[in-house]
Amino acid sequence: MLLSPTVLLVLVVVGLVYVFYTFTSGRAKHGEEIVQAKLEMDELRASNPEYKFSVDEFRDGTIAFTHDVIGAIGIFDPDKKLLRLKSADREDCTEDCQSQEEAETAVEDYLRRIYDPNPAE
């Protein structure tokens, strides 16, 4: 049994619309999650000054996150999408970050592990 060209065209269009909707709604949801995480981190910073850090951008495009009290530092390279974290209190590590916002969140997580390495669960 062969499908008529009209039915086939309708099926293809419906399939394309479904794929487009799925793709765009997934990106929107990811964006909402990042915004929500940033709001939560802003609240955490306000209530816990030990998580505050300064942000400096260099001419080569890299961004440094520095915590003055414990000397922790993060260097984010937006071209390589890589964050290097260093501290005298913890082992150095690297993390993949797609944006400066993700890098800031990773720095805050790193500071949280330094200040509270064994959080209550």
Side-chain angles (χ1 to χ4, degrees), residues 52-103:
K52 290 185 180 179
F53 54 87
S54 61
V55 179
D56 299 303
E57 188 168 345
F58 298 109
R59 289 183 181 193
D60 66 355
T62 58
I63 301 168
F65 305 98
T66 309
H67 190 279
D68 296 329
V69 177
I70 59 173
I73 189 167
I75 304 290
F76 175 60
D77 186 339
D79 294 332
K80 295 180 182 175
K81 301 190 182 314
L82 191 66
L83 173 68
R84 293 183 305 271
L85 296 161
K86 301 177 181 186
S87 170
D89 298 338
R90 307 252 332 156
E91 187 175 317
D92 296 353
C93 65
T94 58
E95 294 197 25
D96 293 326
C97 297
Q98 299 299 312
S99 66
Q100 181 176 343
E101 290 79 19
E102 285 185 31

Side-chain angles (χ1 to χ4, degrees), residues 12-26:
V12 168
V13 169
V14 168
L16 289 174
V17 168
Y18 176 76
V19 168
F20 178 75
Y21 172 77
T22 302
F23 178 71
T24 56
S25 66

